[in-house]
Amino acid sequence: MADFSVLIGGKAGEGINQAASLIAHLLNRLGWRIYVYLDYPSLIRGGHNFAIIRASEKKIAVHRDKIDVLLALNQDTVDLHKHRLKDNSLIVYDSDTVKSKGSGLPLEKMIKEEGGSAIMRNSCIIGAFCRAAGIKQDILEEVFKKHIPREADLNIKIALRGYNETEESLALPAISQAPFSLFTGNEAIGLGLIKAGLKSYIAYPMTPSSGVLHFLAGLSKEFSLKVVHPESEISVILMALGFAYCGEKAAVGTSGGGFCLMNEGLSLAGMAELPVVIVMGQRPGPSTGVPTYTAQADLNFVLNAGHGEFVRLVTAPGDAEEACYWSAVALNIAWKYQIPCFVLTDKTLNEATFSFEASAVDSVKEEPPLLWDKDGDYKRYLNTETGVSPLAFVPRKGAVIKASSYEHDDYGITTEDPATITSSYDKRLRKEKYLAQDLEKYRAVKAYGNPSAECAVVCWGSNKGVCVEAAEKLGLKVIQPLVLSPFPLKQFSEALKGAKKVICVENNATGMLAGLMSARGLKVDKMILKYDGRPFSLDELESRLGEAMR
Amino acid sequence: MSQNDLGTYAVNTWCPGCGNFAILNAVKAILDELRNEGFPLEKVVLVSGIGCHAKIVDYINVNSFYSIHGRVVPVAIGIKLANPDLKVIGFAGDGDAYGEGLEHLIFAAKRNIDITMIIHNNRVYGLTTGQYTPTSPLGFRGRSTPFGTRELPINPLELMLSSGATFLARGYSHGIELLKGIFKEALAHKGFSLVDVLQVCVTFYNMYQYYTRHAYELKDHDPRNYDGALQKIREWDYNKEAPIALGTFYKKEAATFEEPFRDYGAQVDRGSKIRQLLEKNI
Ligand SMILES: Cc1ncc(C[n+]2csc(CCOP(=O)(O)OP(=O)(O)O)c2C)c(N)n1
Ligand code: SF4
């Protein structure tokens, strides 16, 4: 498989993110499939930010350790990534500030001469990269025009300066396939929610899910979405429940720390049977942890969050298409069952950029909830066979709609009567059975790789990309549960059939999925765990799988 | 006046003599008046927190959201943003709103969202049997402070005024006509309104005699004058012995937070807009 990686690095505030996006779009235009890994510390200026843009002829969802091109805006980029270089890797650097081998360009001097500002050094270095890679000038101009929000012309002028002062050395081929749209995981979540009828998004900023807030806020006018950033996560989820009470589909987004604050609202949703989607982007914890890095250590928290017992859906998508699809499913299911539904992600998935297949959006649509259409007394909590009560929303003439956090009877009036407590409790919990049946219609567990392999790699969330690619190389099978609650035991056991050795791959220290499996009597032989805040690279997982199989 | 159909079958469990009855009766009367004036009651949503006061939503047969301790305000805001045509009335205790939920109250005032908050300020935790609250006086002996508190109360009206509230009033659970008048004015106000009701808890902090001795009705007071309002609000600080004014302290017209949200929620062809977005991101 033809495969190609570019690393661009510099200090925070030097526009590495934007540069990575431009490079991704340039390669995308040539027909390559894209994956962009972003690595940055939690500070605004200084430090070391870098992005690895990996291009491949087939779809990918993981970065590689080795790189083909290093674009260095500062000395750290050269010093910290030496180990990633191959013999023939191309290095382009700012010779005004960096000492290195390779091809140096006086970026500072060049942008000054062209009348640009310091931030435009990245355009200049991208121009140099384009020429080195044999990317045509008109493609460069087109991509810059389309994807630079401000001062595109000046950026193009500066990029062409870099372009003209560089020699072609890589001869990167174009791939004869149509380019895809590029979206981050966060944006894909936003797309799925919109498609499934989201009316409002409420969030308090927290990495790594802030991207959903930013994306939807930017689209709020166009899609007529109410996007609110209130005073705290406590407020966030309660406002969302206010929206839900009025029949407006709402979602919220946060990370572990913010989700701690949402727990009381979550329990309220459980008791009052109010639908809400919670996008929970994991990062290393406990507490503030390592804010801009990745982890998968909140699975148990999300599965068990809130007090009391209530039904929830927990989905864990593995790439942009799944993020879009399962966000939409989560919203539909939240309303179908009047329960809280989670889209459990991690920084790797939230912030990575993917080549995105449009069919993921096409495959979902809004599903209407069960509505009350009768005259007579309305019972908000009518006790039905499935546990789902027909909904009516204010203002509805003739209906008095009472939602409650207290234990209540069918009308929503407080009760402490033992028989009513039991029957109300049963009503709410009964939904799980029907939800589990419903999930049989979805691919709640996916399998990849060699179906007859004796060794199965089990993973969840963003580890899908790395596991699938590594397993295909090694001839293994991969099993990825996309739903973690209710646990899709039937589909999971089916996928596991024939596997003699099971290896669980996770970004946490204790093996949370492995624990979940063991609790259901599913054997795990080995765990490959990584919890340094960094995702597995393809090369790293290949070698660790190799060891684990020995 | 027929308020009968505004009641429910829920058994009222407040202590006899509790000030909550006055609030319940005043609210029912006001809702009945609203209805008679042609306002459809299905457009009213009551939100409550947790505490003795919060049971009020069980006793009134209109839409309601019985929320959790301290969280009346964000729920009310969500409801108002979802549908700015609704009349949203929040009921909270002083422990509830001035303790656990204080940040929300400040932000609601700051936003000038058009909701009405009725605070059942009995200056004690009722439902959890008599602990001190943010408005209990210095030295208050409650079950968690048997030797007396060592902190001064906050003056919630002063705090709300400085947070940007555009309607502030004080009521008393004795004298229902005055209370009704205040509620009516608060409900008619466009913007964030708060009525701090001195609601006497007969069981844990019986202040009837004290209030009746000190309370007087605000007259010849110009509620549009901020400084004058502040002065009146500071007259009694919930601690020292002083005259206790009842009525509307402050009233101001200002843009409301929910108004721009009316423009949202329209049906749009999401499919074609998403296709444009997909195209844009190639
Ligand atoms: C988060 C949370 N903490 C504590 C409680 C227990 N609790 C129930 S009511 C209450 C205080 C009630 O006092 P107040 O809000 O003044 O209302 P009142 O009962 O006096 O009307 C408390 C602390 C709770 N329900 N939720
Ligand atoms: S405890 Fe106090 S506030 Fe609660 S019902 Fe009794 S008198 Fe009213």
Side-chain angles (χ1 to χ4, degrees), chain A residues 221-256:
Chain A
K221 289 219 160 108
E222 209 177 328
F223 284 90
S224 206
L225 282 171
K226 296 171 183 172
V227 178
V228 195
H229 157 191
E231 63 274 19
S232 68
E233 289 86 350
I234 295 175
S235 200
V236 163
I237 187 156
L238 283 132
M239 275 191 196
L241 299 182
F243 274 98
Y245 171 78
C246 291
E248 296 221 337
K249 297 190 173 173
V252 305
T254 189
S255 186

Side-chain angles (χ1 to χ4, degrees), chain A residues 4 195 215 250:
Chain A
F4 184 85
K195 189 70 194 297
F215 181 65

Side-chain angles (χ1 to χ4, degrees), chain A residues 25 29 146-147 180-183 191 194-195 197-198 220-226 230-232 234-235 238-239 241-243 245-246 248 264 274 361 394-397 399-406 409 411 413-414, chain B residues 8-10 42-43 45 50 57-58 60-69 71 74-75 77-79 81-83 86 103-104 107 111 127 257 261 263-268 270 273-274 276-282:
Chain A
H25 276 292
R29 209 42 85 79
K146 189 163 174 184
H147 296 289
F180 277 2
S181 307
L182 299 185
F183 283 109
L191 285 177
I194 291 178
K195 189 70 194 297
L198 188 80
S220 57
K221 289 219 160 108
E222 209 177 328
F223 284 90
S224 206
L225 282 171
K226 296 171 183 172
E231 63 274 19
S232 68
I234 295 175
S235 200
L238 283 132
M239 275 191 196
L241 299 182
F243 274 98
Y245 171 78
C246 291
E248 296 221 337
E264 54 174 348
L274 289 164
V361 202
V394 290
R396 167 89 192 229
K397 209 173 161 47
V400 171
I401 302 155
K402 287 191 169 300
S404 183
S405 74
Y406 248 97
D409 64 13
Y411 283 99
I413 300 276
T414 307
Chain B
T8 67
Y9 58 84
E42 64 267 18
K43 284 197 177 175
V45 185
I50 293 296
V57 298
D58 271 350
I60 306 180
N61 195 30
V62 297
N63 302 314
S64 65
F65 189 133
Y66 201 147
S67 169
I68 49 178
H69 195 55
R71 311 300 173 214
V75 170
I77 293 181
I79 291 170
L81 295 183
N83 185 349
L86 300 174
E103 66 163 348
H104 307 305
F107 274 84
R111 289 179 190 128
L127 199 61
F257 187 73
F261 283 79
D263 300 341
Y264 291 85
Q267 286 299 334
V268 291
R270 293 187 168 199
K273 284 197 188 295
I274 287 177
Q276 286 166 19
L277 211 61
L278 288 164
E279 190 56 39
K280 201 176 122 203
N281 277 34
I282 289 183

